[in-house]
Amino acid sequence: MALKIVKGSIDRMFDKNLQDLVRGIRNHKEDEAKYISTCIDEIKQELKQDNIAVKANAVCKLTYLQMLGYDVSWAAFNIVEVMSSSKFTYKRIGYLAASQCFHESTDVIMLTTNQIRKDLSSPNQYDTGVALTGLSCFVTPDLARDLANDIMTLVSHGDCVKRKRCSVLIMYKVFLKYPESLRPAFPRLKEKLEDPDPGVQSAAVNVICELARRNPKNYLSLAPLFFKLMTSSTNNWVLIKIIKLFGALTPLEPRLGKKLIEPLTNLIHSTSAMSLLYECVNTVIAGQYCSSVGSVVLCVQKLRILIEDSDQNLKYLGLLAMSKILKTHPKSVQSHKDLILQCLDDKDESIRLRALDLLYGMVSKKNLMEIVKKLMLHVDKAEGTTYRDELLTKIIDICSQSNYQYITNFEWSVSQPVTPHPPGISVSWWTIRVFAVAQMATLLDNAHLLTGSMQRNGICEVLYAAAWICGEFSEHLENPLQTLEAMLRPKVATLPGHIQAVYVQNAAKLFATVLKSQEGNTDSTTAQETSQLMIDRLPLFVQSANLEVQERASCILQLVKYIQKLQQKDVEVAEEVIALFAGELNPVAPKAQKKVPVPEGLDLDAWINEPPSESESEDEQPKAIFAKEEPKHSRPRHTEVDEKELARRREARKQEQANNPFYIKASPSSQKVYQDAPGVEHIPVVQIDLSVPLKVPGLPMSDQYVKLEEERRQKERAEKKKKEKKKRKEKRSGRGKKHDSGPESEEDITPAHMVDIVTEEMPENALPSDDDDKDPNDPHKILSLHFFGPFQVVVSVIFENKCDSFLKSMEFNVLDSLNSKLQRPEGSGPHDGLTVPFQLPPGVSNEARFVFTVQSIVMPQKLKGTLTFIVKDSSTHEKLDFKLHFTCTSYLITTPCYSDAFAKLLESGDLKGSSVRLEGVNMPFHHLLARICFHHHFSVVERIDSCASMYSRSIQGHHVCLLVKTSGQTVSIDAKCDEPTLLGNVLDEIKQTFSQC
Amino acid sequence: MSHDNSKPLMRFLLLFSRQGKLRLQKWFTPMSDREKKKIIRDMTTMVLARQPRSCNFLHWKDLKIIYKRYASLYFCLAIESQENELLALEVIHRYVELLDKYFGNVCELDIIFNFEKAYFILDEFLMGGEIQETSKQVVNRCIESSDMLQETMEEYMSKPAF
């Protein structure tokens, strides 16, 4: 035994240690790989020995080799051996090697559980330390599960600060790998926020901030505690963490923003730490919805200081933050245009690119020319192709953004060599066509200058447009022959195929023009020369690999050959050739097709074949109801209908539909049938909770306002119902049932805010097609919640004046949340109200529409708002507070789904489940289903006895599937959806519906 | 909480020379060797290609890369996109200060020959991609005392065992 030990220490004298290895590698620069492979062989020998010191030395060397990129996974077991050494020196090396080499799929990790547990509870705090550090690198779900308790013990009973600090930090890793541990551990973690030791405290802040950023909702209750920490802490690292956390919480609780703005501005004013300043500024910018204009101005001032700083990093970050402000407060940034233009001269490319980005957003009608001029100067002196390309692309982006809306001077823009002009644009510049054509011809002539570097950027697309313009408007060309020659240069064949095709086609048009002018002359040889030019050059294109180029070229080539033959017989052909391309292309507005009158006798909406009987019967019944009415009196309409008759029909229809699993197929109509029902008091669209009743003190009728709330809501519902009817009617006549719908009051109302985003350049003779694109059959219209694209929601609000005075100057305002924002006209601030575009005489109601931008549809939103108005008689200014409730349900669209598609959807496994139980529901099952269908926009997929599957789809395409079962008064709903948050909220809303009845 | 976004705010720290030789690597999320190699290659080429006197920030995939050169060594830290760049620079700087204090005027060779010490110092300062200890004094004290423990062990071991 003793001998063995002696042998071991003698061996050690001859072993290489780490330093020797490093030195050796440095001395074998020529044959490094060979040297290392001999070293690895030695290490393998060393690992076979029993001496732990030798093994540790070998493992240490392996860790170094691993960094150099060599595979050492074969030694994983030896690493575990060294980890379990009782000597700290070796243990440390073992854990280091493990943390560098192990990953989740290393199978020996499961052998380490007991060793780590032992080290965690070791009396030596350094053993615990290395074990925790190692664990932070290679913790697996299994390790997390097995060791969660040991770590928890350390957190609460740790006698030493270092141990506590580390174990708090490692908790975060454990939670991530083993989420079940979070709930029991959280109270202890929370205690640590107030630990007397700043290290432990900051570790706890770190962990909770990270958790909260992943899932802020659960941590809102900690806000006061963090607020206290924020105002008391002096540690900048901790402060930055807390500010980040608040950044994540404020969107959920807008009131926090108001509270935070003061301490944040104080920090911005007082701190000398740039990182903290930058964090504060960023948080204020991100939470702008709650911050005052003053704080934005402060941020811009501070950012200006950063940008002016000589430190490149601060400059860069200043520009970065500036571009965030630009999105919401463009004006405050635009005043710093000079500073940003200066940044274009910076040596640092990334700063120049940032500045370019900013300029893009700052462009307005006024400054466009100036900015582009500056940028063009930079193009000339730019070094490095990437930056120059970026500059050119940006110039083009700047000029073309929002459909060229900023370009006021087209002549100027055409003379800019790099601005692309899609054919459509040039067509619409009717008046400057001649000028444009001349410019384009020059452009084509100089095309060889462009093609080289621009091909990559797609700037050569401009040639596509140029060729077309020159061909189409060839009569305006000064020297068509020269342009024709330019278009047939061999170099053209290097352009992309689609451009070549346009070149060939337009060369033919040009050819026609040239022929015409030449035949006018007496000398017929020039015309023949032109034909010869075509015949010489076209074969190049006939050989093109691009089919379209080939086809066009060979057609035209044959045509020209024929023309040549005729020319040789002295036949004048120009007129006929011109005739090929005759007819001027007039500008056509995008919606112009709809302006074309439908020929008499042609009914586009009429059924060609008889419609399926099911929908026919659906159509007939309601038609009968409305046929009796005089459409002019819309208000008393539904009272005129015989209530009994209505109820009977409704019952019959419900019965029929409940028995038909596919009845929702005719969804819009069947859905509206329910909306007629007087018993239904819930409007699925936008609930307007008027939490504060309208009080007009000093008016004789003021007490009426106090009890107004409920009445008003009722009234609104009635109003909406009425509206639904009208729309339905409109739709029916749209289907060609030849019902004169009479004057529709809603059509007389000017919408407060038209959703018209595209402001296109239109030539004088093409009128913009007005709102004829609103399809009356669009199901969204029926819901009076319209979706134009995924994120815009139009809310119709009905204002009814219930007092005896005339109301005017109404202003509608809503406190935006981060998720939902009221769209305000350009130039108005984020807190400005919108003027309601009408006045209200006593007893009159009217409707206004407001557009909201909604970021995410998975969460319901309640927006607070106020309506201010002037009571005319007393000239008092009054205010009415209300809440707008955007339910998740309102984003669902009734979508039919067949049972096999439904089954497939469920089988796919992409959906996450959730369920809810409703107690004490006292209604027949088919009524229950009908309620869900109506209130929550579902359709029944299949129904068997007391069990039914239902389906709906969100406007963003999330699938929502329900399985509804009933027994006695208990209803259970199992639900699946690809978006769990959305599902949870929809289920909550369903529960709400049934708790109200 | 899903596992997908379970990434710490600091993803990895790399130290490499002007020639692109890796001197230290710390990965705060588990990653396969192949991924690591690819990232190391991307980082060295990207950072070494930067012009002098450029700013110290780069965007790479969804991460921000913060790098800083100290003498012949580049320190390169990858952070999540919503993290604070200036704070990351402070982290790098603090680590350099700690190395400097420990080695006394640290140079590249110190880190090459004592690479395990460089790791131990880093582990006292950062843990799992989070700042473990913000105070320089505390970190230094911790490293010194664990070294003391190691030295005594080594002395003990180097004694003849018979």
Side-chain angles (χ1 to χ4, degrees):
Chain A
M1 184 65 195
L3 202 78
K4 206 172 180 183
I5 292 171
V6 174
K7 187 178 173 290
S9 17
I10 290 170
D11 276 352
R12 268 161 61 197
M13 293 188 341
F14 296 105
D15 287 344
K16 285 196 191 82
N17 62 13
L18 176 67
Q19 272 77 17
D20 299 328
L21 175 77
V22 174
R23 215 166 284 133
I25 295 173
R26 291 170 74 80
N27 291 336
H28 289 78
K29 288 219 165 85
E30 308 302 313
D31 52 347
E32 193 184 285
K34 199 178 148 209
Y35 177 75
I36 288 177
S37 76
T38 57
C39 287
I40 288 182
D41 287 341
E42 281 168 26
I43 290 169
K44 281 185 177 159
Q45 289 306 315
E46 286 165 26
L47 288 175
K48 280 182 189 151
Q49 293 188 31
D50 283 339
N51 191 318
I52 191 73
V54 177
K55 271 189 191 161
N57 185 38
V59 164
C60 187
K61 286 190 279 182
L62 279 179
T63 316
Y64 188 81
L65 292 179
Q66 190 266 345
M67 182 175 71
L68 296 183
Y70 292 89
D71 175 33
V72 300
S73 55
W74 49 270
F77 185 74
N78 302 104
I79 292 173
V80 176
E81 278 184 309
V82 176
M83 273 165 77
S84 43
S85 157
S86 56
K87 308 283 188 291
F88 177 69
T89 314
Y90 308 138
K91 191 186 288 299
R92 202 184 194 188
I93 289 169
Y95 272 106
L96 173 64
S99 57
Q100 294 297 107
C101 311
F102 287 5
H103 42 85
E104 282 197 14
S105 53
T106 308
D107 41 10
V108 293
I109 284 188
M110 56 190 205
L111 301 177
T112 60
T113 317
N114 278 324
Q115 182 57 42
I116 295 173
R117 181 173 288 142
K118 217 171 105 192
D119 289 334
L120 288 182
S121 53
S122 157
N124 180 347
Q125 58 157 322
Y126 297 101
D127 286 348
T128 319
V130 289
L132 287 171
T133 308
L135 202 55
S136 75
C137 292
F138 57 76
V139 62
T140 61
D142 286 345
L143 279 179
R145 189 194 56 226
D146 296 341
L147 296 171
N149 260 331
D150 303 80
I151 291 165
M152 226 46 72
T153 323
L154 282 176
V155 172
S156 44
H157 303 301
D159 44 340
C160 124
V161 167
K162 178 181 158 54
R163 240 183 266 190
K164 259 202 258 180
R165 198 177 56 212
C166 297
S167 49
V168 169
L169 273 184
I170 195 90
M171 272 165 90
Y172 176 57
K173 294 267 172 181
V174 173
F175 296 152
L176 293 177
K177 297 288 175 190
Y178 180 56
E180 287 85 340
S181 61
L182 176 59
R183 199 171 287 276
F186 192 71
R188 281 184 208 165
L189 186 59
K190 203 175 133 189
E191 276 169 29
K192 296 296 164 228
L193 281 178
E194 291 174 297
D195 197 278
D197 178 76
V200 178
Q201 194 188 40
S202 82
V205 170
N206 266 347
V207 172
I208 294 189
C209 287
E210 281 313 299
L211 288 170
R213 275 165 62 192
R214 316 279 175 212
N215 190 3
K217 213 167 72 186
N218 297 346
Y219 299 88
L220 263 178
S221 61
L222 291 179
L225 188 57
F226 275 109
F227 196 79
K228 208 174 89 195
L229 279 176
M230 179 171 141
T231 40
S232 62
S233 176
T234 51
N235 183 335
N236 285 343
W237 311 71
V238 173
L239 275 175
I240 289 179
K241 275 278 174 190
I242 297 176
I243 291 169
K244 271 223 146 72
L245 169 79
F246 278 123
L249 292 183
T250 22
L252 300 172
E253 180 47 274
R255 277 176 303 177
L256 261 179
K258 277 193 189 140
K259 224 175 137 117
L260 279 172
I261 198 72
E262 198 199 317
L264 282 179
T265 10
N266 286 346
L267 278 174
I268 292 176
H269 275 299
S270 64
T271 186
S272 58
M274 281 302 174
S275 51
L276 182 58
L277 172 75
Y278 181 60
E279 192 64 52
C280 292
V281 169
N282 256 338
T283 311
V284 172
I285 297 170
Q288 259 168 14
Y289 54 93
C290 58
S291 62
S292 59
V293 180
S295 59
V296 174
V297 171
L298 175 66
C299 288
V300 175
Q301 275 169 7
K302 285 282 172 184
L303 290 177
R304 190 180 168 102
I305 296 172
L306 292 191
I307 296 173
E308 283 170 338
D309 201 289
S310 59
D311 184 340
Q312 301 288 68
N313 291 334
L314 298 183
K315 213 184 262 285
Y316 178 86
L317 294 178
L319 289 170
L320 196 67
M322 209 60 127
S323 60
K324 287 180 196 155
I325 296 189
L326 184 69
K327 283 180 196 132
T328 48
H329 292 79
K331 283 210 181 107
S332 12
V333 181
Q334 264 159 6
S335 52
H336 301 278
K337 190 182 73 205
D338 294 342
L339 179 67
I340 292 157
L341 279 170
Q342 263 173 38
C343 291
L344 286 177
D345 294 320
D346 201 282
K347 286 192 200 72
D348 184 355
E349 190 174 293
S350 36
I351 287 178
R352 292 196 303 256
L353 291 175
R354 281 275 144 244
L356 262 182
D357 271 350
L358 256 176
L359 284 174
Y360 173 68
M362 286 167 62
V363 166
S364 69
K365 278 192 177 121
K366 277 189 202 138
N367 61 19
L368 176 101
M369 279 164 76
E370 184 196 344
I371 288 181
V372 173
K373 211 169 119 193
K374 287 255 169 67
L375 291 181
M376 290 305 289
L377 281 179
H378 282 277
V379 175
D380 291 339
K381 57 181 178 183
E383 338 157 338
T385 49
T386 33
Y387 177 62
R388 200 182 56 213
D389 289 355
E390 184 65 31
L391 257 176
L392 286 171
T393 324
K394 267 284 156 355
I395 294 174
I396 289 166
D397 286 351
I398 285 174
C399 292
S400 59
Q401 66 175 307
S402 312
N403 266 349
Y404 299 81
Q405 62 166 337
Y406 296 124
I407 299 187
T408 47
N409 183 341
F410 289 127
E411 275 94 345
W412 167 80
S413 132
V414 177
S415 64
Q416 298 296 313
V418 291
T419 319
H421 307 285
I425 296 296
S426 232
V427 173
S428 66
W429 303 337
W430 210 234
T431 47
I432 60 147
R433 213 159 41 158
V434 181
F435 182 77
V437 171
Q439 286 292 337
M440 290 302 134
T442 330
L443 187 62
L444 284 182
D445 225 13
N446 298 316
H448 59 281
L449 296 174
L450 287 174
T451 43
S453 75
M454 309 240 172
Q455 209 146 353
R456 265 169 312 173
N457 299 339
I459 296 182
C460 54
E461 293 297 318
V462 67
L463 296 176
Y464 173 97
W468 184 87
I469 292 168
C470 288
E472 192 59 33
F473 306 118
S474 48
E475 67 273 19
H476 299 294
L477 281 173
E478 261 176 47
N479 188 350
L481 184 59
Q482 187 191 338
T483 312
L484 177 65
E485 204 273 325
M487 281 170 85
L488 293 171
R489 279 181 201 146
K491 186 102 189 181
V492 172
T494 59
L495 290 170
H498 65 285
I499 297 178
Q500 283 187 51
V502 171
Y503 263 70
V504 171
Q505 186 69 25
N506 286 289
K509 292 182 201 167
L510 266 176
F511 174 63
T513 318
V514 174
L515 272 190
K516 183 151 195 274
S517 65
Q518 287 172 338
E519 280 187 2
N521 299 341
T522 42
D523 187 7
S524 66
T525 52
T526 49
Q528 287 189 22
E529 274 166 21
T530 316
S531 307
Q532 193 55 47
L533 174 77
M534 290 290 276
I535 291 170
D536 290 345
R537 298 285 178 85
L538 278 174
L540 177 71
F541 297 100
V542 176
Q543 291 159 11
S544 170
N546 185 303
L547 273 185
E548 198 183 345
V549 179
Q550 201 186 82
E551 190 180 346
R552 288 188 188 202
S554 32
C555 282
I556 293 167
L557 184 61
Q558 291 313 313
L559 180 72
V560 177
K561 279 182 181 163
Y562 182 68
I563 291 171
Q564 201 182 27
K565 267 185 204 159
L566 291 176
Q567 278 176 333
Q568 281 157 1
K569 293 176 195 161
D570 277 336
V571 182
E572 293 220 335
V573 287
E575 284 302 330
E576 283 169 50
V577 180
I578 286 273
L580 284 177
F581 306 106
E584 197 158 82
L585 198 60
N586 280 316
V588 179
K591 292 166 190 160
Q593 178 67 47
K594 293 186 184 162
K595 294 276 176 201
V596 179
V598 178
E600 217 172 313
L602 173 64
D603 186 350
L604 289 173
D605 296 316
W607 290 95
I608 295 173
N609 296 314
E610 276 303 297
S613 61
E614 182 188 62
S615 58
E616 203 173 44
S617 68
E618 285 284 316
D619 280 348
E620 290 310 324
Q621 281 183 339
K623 182 181 140 199
I625 297 173
F626 286 99
K628 293 179 195 165
E629 295 171 7
E630 243 334 274
K632 278 180 186 166
H633 309 289
S634 53
R635 188 169 282 267
R637 185 189 286 167
H638 65 282
T639 52
E640 279 179 21
V641 184
D642 181 358
E643 284 293 329
K644 271 187 188 168
E645 171 68 8
L646 198 67
R648 193 188 58 73
R649 284 190 192 150
R650 191 168 56 244
E651 207 44 54
R653 210 155 42 226
K654 273 185 187 172
Q655 207 63 45
E656 180 196 317
Q657 287 164 345
N659 293 335
N660 178 356
F662 298 118
Y663 77 95
I664 298 291
K665 261 202 294 187
S667 59
S669 28
S670 62
Q671 193 185 342
K672 271 181 285 110
V673 170
Y674 286 105
Q675 289 174 357
D676 282 345
V680 176
E681 68 257 291
H682 182 93
I683 298 297
V685 191
V686 183
Q687 259 183 312
I688 304 191
D689 298 328
L690 295 163
S691 54
V692 182
L694 174 61
K695 276 189 192 173
V696 186
L699 281 176
M701 294 304 286
S702 65
D703 54 341
Q704 222 181 326
Y705 289 110
V706 184
K707 53 176 181 180
L708 188 98
E709 183 188 3
E710 196 48 43
E711 274 176 35
R712 187 184 156 112
R713 284 170 71 171
Q714 214 78 54
K715 234 345 196 272
E716 270 175 7
R717 282 169 197 145
E719 281 290 322
K720 281 202 177 146
K721 268 174 237 156
K722 198 174 67 203
K723 195 170 298 300
E724 304 300 342
K725 280 190 184 171
K726 272 191 231 148
K727 280 177 186 153
R728 177 152 141 241
K729 177 144 194 117
E730 201 176 29
K731 180 180 155 198
R732 214 153 292 290
S733 56
R735 267 195 202 157
K737 293 282 176 190
K738 304 291 175 210
H739 268 276
D740 191 351
S741 53
E744 293 279 357
S745 64
E746 68 196 294
E747 284 180 358
D748 303 332
I749 301 164
T750 351
H753 194 105
M754 284 284 292
V755 189
D756 187 12
I757 318 136
V758 193
T759 47
E760 289 147 307
E761 281 295 334
M762 290 275 196
E764 307 92 70
N765 54 349
L767 288 167
S769 354
D770 34 58
D771 59 354
D772 56 358
D773 55 344
K774 283 180 192 155
D775 177 8
N777 284 331
D778 180 0
H780 305 148
K781 182 154 182 170
I782 296 155
L783 300 176
S784 77
L785 189 60
H786 311 248
F787 303 104
F788 296 87
F791 300 115
Q792 278 192 327
V793 175
V794 179
V795 176
S796 299
V797 181
I798 296 160
F799 299 89
E800 181 168 21
N801 184 0
K802 306 198 73 179
C803 72
D804 288 338
S805 310
F806 196 93
L807 301 182
K808 61 170 191 178
S809 302
M810 292 192 282
E811 220 179 73
F812 177 91
N813 201 1
V814 169
L815 201 60
D816 290 347
S817 74
L818 197 62
N819 191 28
S820 317
K821 290 188 169 72
L822 178 61
Q823 275 203 357
R824 295 170 167 92
E826 218 178 302
S828 56
H831 307 294
D832 295 351
L834 293 177
T835 316
V836 179
F838 47 77
Q839 304 184 331
L840 280 184
V844 169
S845 67
N846 206 342
E847 179 210 24
R849 293 178 186 177
F850 301 96
V851 187
F852 285 80
T853 325
V854 177
Q855 294 292 334
S856 157
I857 63 155
V858 301
M859 302 258 257
Q861 293 280 320
K862 249 189 195 148
L863 297 188
K864 274 194 203 162
T866 36
L867 179 75
T868 53
F869 53 88
I870 293 174
V871 184
K872 208 174 187 181
D873 299 339
S874 61
S875 297
T876 45
H877 219 109
E878 298 294 334
K879 194 177 98 161
L880 180 73
D881 290 328
F882 60 87
K883 274 183 190 161
L884 276 177
H885 194 177
F886 290 77
T887 57
C888 282
T889 291
S890 48
Y891 302 118
L892 296 182
I893 307 169
T894 315
T895 318
C897 179
Y898 291 100
S899 49
D900 44 349
F902 188 78
K904 237 178 219 162
L905 194 62
L906 288 182
E907 276 167 19
S908 70
D910 300 334
L911 308 182
K912 298 186 180 68
S914 179
S915 58
V916 67
R917 274 174 91 82
L918 311 168
E919 303 286 351
V921 180
N922 196 7
M923 63 173 80
F925 190 53
H926 63 269
H927 282 194
L928 177 104
L929 294 184
R931 244 171 215 273
I932 297 178
C933 288
F934 168 55
H935 289 304
H936 300 287
H937 314 165
F938 277 86
S939 60
V940 175
V941 179
E942 209 167 9
R943 182 187 160 188
I944 304 159
D945 302 328
S946 60
C947 180
S949 49
M950 309 181 88
Y951 175 79
S952 185
R953 230 178 120 101
S954 81
I955 55 165
Q956 290 186 348
H958 303 114
H959 304 284
V960 189
C961 307
L962 303 183
L963 183 65
V964 187
K965 283 183 212 158
T966 176
S967 64
Q969 296 204 334
T970 310
V971 179
S972 70
I973 302 178
D974 289 312
K976 287 200 164 170
C977 175
D978 30 17
E979 172 49 70
T981 326
L982 177 70
L983 181 63
N985 289 318
V986 169
L987 287 183
D988 283 349
E989 283 162 19
I990 293 181
K991 213 169 168 179
Q992 191 78 28
T993 311
F994 286 95
S995 68
Q996 280 167 358
C997 60
Chain B
M1 203 182 329
S2 73
H3 284 256
D4 316 319
N5 55 11
S6 61
K7 299 283 166 41
L9 38 133
M10 284 179 241
R11 296 292 181 78
F12 55 82
L13 173 72
L14 302 177
L15 267 66
F16 48 84
S17 68
R18 265 191 305 174
Q19 291 76 36
K21 286 248 186 215
L22 194 63
R23 296 302 179 207
L24 187 137
Q25 53 169 341
K26 189 79 192 175
W27 305 88
F28 299 114
T29 52
M31 235 179 280
S32 76
D33 284 346
R34 230 170 108 200
E35 283 172 299
K36 286 181 186 173
K37 273 187 191 158
K38 192 182 175 309
I39 292 175
I40 293 167
R41 208 174 42 237
D42 284 2
M43 287 305 119
T44 46
T45 41
M46 257 171 61
V47 170
L48 293 174
R50 293 280 288 179
Q51 299 290 320
R53 280 201 284 163
S54 297
C55 72
N56 299 77
F57 313 128
L58 282 170
H59 284 268
W60 181 76
K61 297 195 174 164
D62 57 339
L63 298 180
K64 285 181 190 161
I65 309 298
I66 316 301
Y67 72 93
K68 192 154 169 84
R69 188 176 151 184
Y70 288 91
S72 59
L73 264 192
Y74 283 92
F75 289 68
C76 170
L77 180 64
I79 56 171
E80 261 192 33
S81 58
Q82 72 263 47
E83 276 307 312
N84 188 321
E85 292 93 338
L86 294 172
L87 188 70
L89 269 181
E90 282 177 36
V91 167
I92 292 178
H93 189 71
R94 178 63 58 90
Y95 181 46
V96 175
E97 283 177 334
L98 290 169
L99 290 172
D100 207 49
K101 176 100 180 141
Y102 183 85
F103 290 108
N105 236 336
V106 67
C107 68
E108 194 183 338
L109 284 180
D110 286 324
I111 296 172
I112 297 173
F113 283 103
N114 301 289
F115 92 113
E116 86 279 22
K117 300 280 191 217
Y119 276 118
F120 295 149
I121 295 166
L122 184 63
D123 288 342
E124 287 297 333
F125 173 44
L126 302 176
M127 188 165 116
E130 303 279 344
I131 298 161
Q132 186 194 142
E133 179 52 68
T134 52
S135 148
K136 267 187 274 188
Q137 287 77 15
V138 175
V139 175
N140 276 324
R141 254 203 322 272
C142 281
I143 297 163
E144 273 164 27
S145 36
S146 34
D147 272 357
M148 285 294 286
L149 198 66
Q150 182 165 353
E151 300 304 290
T152 43
M153 289 286 182
E154 248 154 35
E155 280 163 28
Y156 175 78
M157 279 307 295
S158 57
K159 276 179 197 159
F162 47 93

